Amino acid sequence: ILIGDSAAGKSTLLNLIAGLLRNYSGDIKMDNISYSAISDNNLHEKISYLQQDPYIFSASLKWNLTLGKKIPDAKVNSVIHECGLEDMISKLPNGLETVLNDQGKQLSGGQKQRISFAREILRDTPIYLLDEATSALDKSASVKLEKSILSKKNKTVIMVTHHLREEIKQLANEVINLNEIKDTQI
């Protein structure tokens, strides 16, 4: 878990890890392989990046969750339950087939974040980067989703938060305060 003041570099660090920033000095490695030797496609296949304001595609809710991949309905429904989307879906005129448009303007920030979590859980990458990914959710929903991601087996999760809760801190291998780091290696 990464914490620190505003402008401490938390989001910049996640952008570097995600491969979104390429103009840097030094070397970033994954499994002892330099990022310069990893193609963008290979890197992005390994990383799910959940941001504070996730992108919603002009497509059905189901497409937004599966990104058009054929995923068994049972798995989709399990992830919908895990992310607490059932109530929202039951209120949509066409359920999962409801078309979302205009960057999901018909959705709340919390609903978009739940969709983002479900999408990335369905992608099932080995690395999850969370940048204030539950900021629009109430405490209970936030803790539930964060616990869900942090408890996944064989996953690396790097989470940025301004609201480090004790029940989440207990699940972390390490909490790094970027305010305390000076010219060191992470």
Side-chain angles (χ1 to χ4, degrees):
I1 296 176
L2 300 174
I3 61 172
D5 294 339
S6 293
K10 301 177 299 294
S11 295
T12 300
L13 183 56
L14 287 188
N15 285 329
L16 285 165
I17 294 168
L20 300 176
L21 299 176
R22 293 295 189 163
N23 188 17
Y24 57 87
S25 61
D27 197 17
I28 301 172
K29 294 181 179 184
M30 179 186 299
D31 294 330
N32 287 324
I33 300 170
S34 177
Y35 267 35
S36 61
I38 303 172
S39 74
D40 286 344
N41 284 343
N42 284 340
L43 186 61
H44 295 148
E45 286 176 7
K46 296 184 183 322
I47 297 174
S48 289
Y49 194 179
L50 292 87
Q51 298 177 308
Q52 188 171 2
D53 189 20
Y55 190 82
I56 302 298
F57 296 94
S58 292
S60 71
L61 174 56
K62 185 172 184 178
W63 194 96
N64 268 279
L65 296 175
T66 64
L67 298 175
K69 293 182 181 168
K70 292 188 182 203
I71 299 174
D73 287 344
K75 184 170 183 175
V76 172
N77 290 332
S78 173
V79 171
I80 285 169
H81 175 72
E82 181 180 349
C83 295
L85 286 165
E86 301 104 320
D87 188 49
M88 180 194 90
I89 292 169
S90 72
K91 293 176 182 171
L92 293 173
N94 297 312
L96 277 173
E97 298 307 320
T98 300
V99 174
L100 307 176
N101 50 35
D102 290 330
Q103 187 36 294
K105 286 184 182 176
Q106 71 264 52
L107 303 172
S108 71
Q111 289 170 326
K112 290 180 191 179
Q113 288 180 344
R114 287 175 190 268
I115 290 168
S116 177
F117 265 85
R119 175 190 300 155
E120 300 308 331
I121 290 169
L122 288 168
R123 281 189 64 222
D124 196 27
T125 61
I127 300 169
Y128 290 94
L129 305 178
L130 284 66
D131 192 357
E132 292 289 338
T134 61
S135 61
L137 295 168
D138 62 53
K139 178 185 176 187
S140 173
S142 175
V143 167
K144 180 181 175 189
L145 280 175
E146 290 169 356
K147 278 184 174 181
S148 173
I149 286 285
L150 288 168
S151 65
K152 294 201 177 293
K153 301 289 184 219
N154 301 316
K155 304 291 182 187
T156 298
V157 180
I158 302 173
M159 183 172 91
V160 166
T161 185
H162 284 103
H163 304 289
L164 181 57
R165 295 179 173 90
E166 191 58 38
E167 56 264 55
I168 299 304
K169 183 178 178 181
Q170 292 172 0
L171 295 172
N173 292 335
E174 190 169 358
V175 176
I176 299 170
N177 185 338
L178 292 185
N179 296 335
E180 297 172 359
I181 294 178
K182 301 285 188 238
D183 298 324
T184 194
Q185 193 173 18
I186 297 178

